[in-house]
């Protein structure tokens, strides 16, 4: 394994905003341990400029991590016309929840829609399985 | 709704016009429902399932073990209930009182504060039927019903004809989306999509208040004042306006004051009246909030002590788990190991879990005791409170050997 090239892989910081997705919700109802739910949940949508910077293309897997967790997810172009470099989107799911901070300021409300993480290529690694 | 129509308990809309076809006591076809509703209505007809330590047992053995866990706990947590009937929720409140338990639902980390303010009459609200019959301006703010409440626009808020809206969306209704991304709902709103930066909602509200009050609207992120004034004028011109408030807006605000103020100002300045409806997701989250409010004056996050309820964020599920103040968990129709941050939910693994859920979930897999219960609205009947406060009753569509959560909670209470 060429470990040097792995270390050199570009990494960018993103703010992840989560959202609801009807197809993902339906997949969860049908089988929350199924492939369809995994494939519609472990997705990160990014600005095309961010994909270029990471040297990844849509459909590739990326590592999304912070001090709370690390997942491998599939990357997609958001398709939004307005540039949103540095802001990424993920469907709300157990995968996004692996990255949510435990810091709540005593409010009882985690920052589900405001996740800071880094993204780098996963070099073909498989999407993280849903387990504990 | 009359005739052979069923209620869909797939989300807070509780659509009442669902037709189904059965084949061998299984829901084979579902008409009228959305994609999520169809999947939900077809979920039923599983075999009865009671597990202790992952091994099949009969119902009395599961009740006995669950009762033992709850008896031995000093401060059990009862959590979930957003997909339970009003009747089951009332049983859970009774059980929480008996156990001196901490009681909470998902609303403590979603739209609970908005429902609480609504029940405290801090802003004007209305029903979805009012919107269908009279609504001319609807604002989807930090909400994307096309994904979360798929028939919201087609059944109630935008597309249908209504008693006073016979010319419909083409001429008489204006749908507006305010969001940080171009959601599916924002696409429907076309030129009335107002994109703001993450965390920019409070400023946008204040600028809008300035706009409707005749002042120049300004934001630190340079939102074009002309566009803001255009929006302010649409809102001012509304005869029957409604803001549908989603999590995107709630999470962006430090407190509800700005949005409550905006509704007040709009009611002062607009041609007609303005309302706010929280976009409650689970089919009976609002029911839980109302049932607990009627009993204690609080909508969630309570701890019972000798019949009295103490309330505060420290009794929310998130803070109770973080501080490890609860020593057992009875979880009804919810999957916190999936829906809470893993960094917090992991603490559940240190205490015994009793899971009552129609589905196998991450939480049920880790439960000491699991009850596979009937799906309300499909396999058992009851009543629920729609996201706008309208009470809806429903009957089971198919028979099941599975008990309802209400029956399980009744037996658990008796066993204690």
């Amino acid at each position: 394994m060429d470990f040097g090239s792995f270390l050199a892989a570009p990494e960018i910081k993103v703010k992840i905003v989560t959202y609801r997705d009807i197809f993902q919700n339906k997949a969860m109802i049908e089988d929350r341990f199924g492939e369809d739910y995994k494939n519609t949940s472990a997705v990160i949508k990014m600005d095309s400029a961010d994909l270029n910077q990471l040297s990844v293309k849509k459909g590739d897997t990326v590592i999304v991590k912070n001090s709370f967790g690390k997942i491998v997810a599939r990357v997609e172009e958001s398709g939004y016309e307005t540039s949103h470099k540095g802001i990424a989107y993920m469907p709300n799911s157990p995968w996004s929840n692996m990255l949510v901070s435990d810091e709540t300021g005593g409010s009882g409300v985690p920052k589900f829609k405001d996740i800071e993480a880094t993204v780098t290529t996963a070099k073909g690694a498989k999407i993280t399985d849903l387990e504990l | 709704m009359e005739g052979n129509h069923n209620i869909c308990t797939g989300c807070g809309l509780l659509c009442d016009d669902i037709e189904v076809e059965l084949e061998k006591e299984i829901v084979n076809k579902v008409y009228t429902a959305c994609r999520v509703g169809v999947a939900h209505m077809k979920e039923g007809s599983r075999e009865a399932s009671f597990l202790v330590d992952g091994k099949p047992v009969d119902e009395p053995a599961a009740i006995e073990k669950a009762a033992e866990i709850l008896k031995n706990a000093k401060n059990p947590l009862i959590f979930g209930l957003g997909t339970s009937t009003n009747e089951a929720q009332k049983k859970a409140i009774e059980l929480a009182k008996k156990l001196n338990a901490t009681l909470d639902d998902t609303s403590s980390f979603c739209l609970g504060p908005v429902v609480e303010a609504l029940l405290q009459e801090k802003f004007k609200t209305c029903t979805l039927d009012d919107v269908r019959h009279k609504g001319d301006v609807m604002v989807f703010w930090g909400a994307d019903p096309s994904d979360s409440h798929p028939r919201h626009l087609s059944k109630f808020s935008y597309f249908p004809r209504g008693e006073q809206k016979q010319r419909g969306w083409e001429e008489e209704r204006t749908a507006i989306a305010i969001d940080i991304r171009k959601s599916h709902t924002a696409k429907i709103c076309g030129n009335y999509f107002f994109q703001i930066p993450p965390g920019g909602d409070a400023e946008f509200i204040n600028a809008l208040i300035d706009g409707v009050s005749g002042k120049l609207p300004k934001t630190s992120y340079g939102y074009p004042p002309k566009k803001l004034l255009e929006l302010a004028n649409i809102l001012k011109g509304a005869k029957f306006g409604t803001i549908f408030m989603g999590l995107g807006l709630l999470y962006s605000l430090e407190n509800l004051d700005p949005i409550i103020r905006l509704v007040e100002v709009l009611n002062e300045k607009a041609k007609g009246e303005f309302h706010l409806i929280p976009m409650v997701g689970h089919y009976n989250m609002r029911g839980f909030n109302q049932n607990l409010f009627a009993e204690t004056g609080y909508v969630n996050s309570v701890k019972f002590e000798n019949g009295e309820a103490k309330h505060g964020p420290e009794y929310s599920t998130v803070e109770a788990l973080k501080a490890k103040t609860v020593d057992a968990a009875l979880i009804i129709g919810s999957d916190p190991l999936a829906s809470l941050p893993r960094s917090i939910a992991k603490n559940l693994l240190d205490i015994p879990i009793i899971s009552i859920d129609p589905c196998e979930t991450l939480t049920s897999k880790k439960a000491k005791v699991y009850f596979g219960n009937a799906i309300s609205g499909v396999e058992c009947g009851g009543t629920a409170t729609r996201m706008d406060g309208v009470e809806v009753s429903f009957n089971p569509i198919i028979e099941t050997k599975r008990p309802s959560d209400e029956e399980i909670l009744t037996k658990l209470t008796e066993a204690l």
Side-chain angles (χ1 to χ4, degrees):
Chain A
M1 181 183 172
D2 182 8
F3 199 64
S5 71
F6 180 76
L7 288 175
E11 181 178 88
I12 59 170
K13 282 185 183 174
V14 291
K15 181 194 268 278
I16 300 169
V17 180
T18 57
Y19 64 96
R20 306 274 166 188
D21 177 275
I22 183 175
F23 293 93
Q24 178 231 13
N25 193 359
K26 177 210 169 226
M28 183 192 76
I29 293 167
E30 289 180 341
D31 182 4
R32 61 188 69 215
F33 297 104
E35 285 296 305
D36 197 14
Y37 184 51
K38 184 165 81 172
N39 290 332
T40 50
S41 297
V43 177
I44 182 162
K45 291 187 175 183
M46 299 177 74
D47 191 287
S48 55
D50 286 338
L51 261 67
N52 288 339
Q53 195 179 333
L54 286 172
S55 300
V56 294
K57 55 184 189 306
K58 59 181 182 182
D60 286 353
T61 53
V62 289
I63 296 168
V64 191
K65 67 177 178 179
N66 58 20
S67 57
F68 305 100
K70 175 183 167 183
I71 59 166
V72 175
R74 186 166 49 82
V75 70
E76 289 291 340
E77 275 181 40
S78 71
Y80 299 139
E81 295 142 18
T82 314
S83 166
H84 57 92
K85 214 168 166 332
I87 297 175
Y89 299 96
M90 284 187 76
N92 177 283
S93 80
W95 283 269
S96 65
N97 283 334
M98 285 188 219
L99 303 165
V100 178
S101 164
D102 64 357
E103 185 45 58
T104 58
S107 66
V109 188
K111 291 182 175 170
F112 290 105
K113 282 179 172 280
D114 183 6
I115 303 168
E116 287 181 2
T118 60
V119 184
T120 188
T121 177
K123 291 191 173 284
K126 285 184 179 170
I127 291 173
T128 305
D129 279 323
L130 184 57
E131 57 191 23
L132 286 166
Chain B
M1 201 111 188
E2 289 179 8
N4 294 320
H5 292 105
N6 300 287
I7 305 287
C8 173
T9 49
C11 82
L13 285 181
L14 288 170
C15 291
D16 59 359
D17 55 356
I18 312 298
E19 291 178 35
V20 298
E21 270 180 26
L22 305 183
E23 191 178 302
K24 295 178 186 168
E25 280 306 303
I26 290 174
V27 176
N28 187 36
K29 285 193 173 154
V30 182
Y31 300 99
T32 327
C34 69
R35 181 178 295 275
V36 170
V38 171
H40 171 68
M41 306 287 276
K42 286 184 170 181
E43 262 191 299
S45 68
R46 296 184 182 92
E47 289 299 309
S49 176
F50 309 98
L51 306 174
V52 171
D53 292 322
K55 293 184 183 116
V57 295
D58 59 12
E59 188 180 12
I63 292 283
E64 189 185 332
K65 186 67 189 171
E68 181 192 313
I69 290 169
L70 293 173
K71 267 184 204 165
N72 290 335
K74 287 189 180 132
N75 182 20
L77 167 70
I78 300 179
F79 172 72
L81 296 155
T83 55
S84 300
T85 59
N86 286 328
E87 295 73 24
Q89 291 171 347
K90 287 173 186 169
K91 285 281 172 201
I93 295 170
E94 188 188 315
L95 179 61
K97 269 185 162 179
K98 191 168 182 172
L99 287 166
N100 286 330
T102 297
L103 174 64
D104 191 29
D105 76 327
T106 54
S107 73
S108 65
F109 51 87
C110 64
L111 285 156
V114 189
V115 178
E116 184 177 42
L118 183 155
L119 296 175
Q120 291 167 344
E121 300 179 0
K122 288 186 177 173
F123 55 79
K124 196 167 187 166
T125 191
C126 62
T127 68
L128 292 168
D129 304 295
D130 293 333
V131 175
R132 181 174 62 223
H133 293 311
K134 297 186 274 188
D136 57 349
V137 174
M138 39 289 295
V139 183
F140 301 101
W141 200 325
D144 178 19
S146 297
D147 280 270
S148 61
H149 301 69
R151 297 182 68 211
H152 194 288
L153 278 79
S154 62
K155 192 169 186 324
F156 295 107
S157 57
Y158 186 46
F159 293 112
R161 290 338 189 217
E163 281 171 9
Q164 296 174 35
K165 286 284 163 275
Q166 287 296 313
R167 285 178 291 160
W169 64 277
E170 302 96 319
E171 295 180 36
E172 291 185 308
R173 298 194 204 265
T174 305
I176 294 158
I178 303 171
D179 212 317
I180 61 168
R181 70 184 179 100
K182 197 170 187 179
S183 65
H184 291 133
T185 304
K187 284 182 184 171
I188 292 170
C189 296
N191 290 335
Y192 296 118
F193 168 44
F194 297 81
Q195 187 164 10
I196 58 175
D201 300 74
E203 265 194 71
F204 197 81
I205 291 172
N206 290 331
L208 261 184
I209 291 172
D210 283 345
V212 294
S213 308
K215 296 178 196 160
L216 184 68
K218 285 183 194 163
T219 59
S220 66
Y221 44 85
Y223 203 90
K226 199 177 158 191
K227 273 210 87 178
L228 265 161
L229 279 173
E230 181 198 356
L231 175 58
N233 283 331
I234 296 170
L235 301 185
K236 264 171 86 171
K239 288 186 185 150
F240 194 97
T242 309
I243 296 172
F244 293 100
M245 180 171 179
L247 278 177
L249 172 55
L250 178 67
Y251 285 164
S252 170
L253 300 176
E254 281 181 20
N255 59 57
L256 294 176
D257 294 348
I259 192 70
I260 290 173
R261 178 81 189 119
L262 176 62
V263 176
E264 271 172 15
V265 171
L266 287 171
N267 275 303
E268 287 164 19
K269 308 279 183 187
K271 266 188 185 172
E273 42 186 314
F274 239 93
H275 317 86
L276 190 146
I277 298 180
M279 291 293 287
V280 169
H282 294 306
Y283 90 80
N284 203 22
M285 187 195 100
R286 178 147 173 188
F288 178 83
N289 291 152
Q290 292 194 185
N291 288 323
L292 190 62
F293 189 80
E295 185 73 28
T296 66
Y298 309 111
V299 297
N300 54 34
S301 310
V302 297
K303 155 90 175 136
F304 285 101
E305 266 183 19
N306 305 318
E308 295 297 312
K310 295 195 290 183
H311 168 73
E314 65 271 34
Y315 305 119
S316 69
T317 302
V318 164
E319 299 304 334
L321 286 175
K322 268 183 76 177
K324 300 188 175 188
T325 52
V326 287
D327 54 357
L330 169 60
I331 297 165
I332 303 134
S334 191
D335 185 12
L337 282 170
S339 60
L340 285 180
R342 182 63 59 87
S343 52
I344 295 166
K346 65 177 170 38
N347 290 352
L348 265 174
L349 301 175
D350 298 333
I351 59 175
I353 298 170
I354 302 158
S355 165
I356 302 176
D357 204 301
C359 316
E360 188 184 41
T361 66
L362 276 179
T363 305
S364 78
K365 280 187 170 189
K366 296 291 175 185
K368 190 91 181 151
V369 185
Y370 167 65
F371 296 89
N373 65 305
I375 300 167
S376 46
V378 180
E379 296 170 316
C380 66
T383 63
T385 309
R386 202 167 70 180
M387 60 178 278
D388 58 349
V390 171
E391 186 159 306
V392 175
S393 63
F394 43 83
N395 297 314
I397 300 169
I398 54 174
E399 287 184 9
T400 181
K401 288 176 184 160
R402 290 184 159 210
S404 67
D405 47 2
E406 183 191 354
E407 288 166 337
I408 296 165
L409 290 166
T410 303
K411 286 178 186 171
L412 259 178
T413 307
E414 285 165 3
L416 289 160

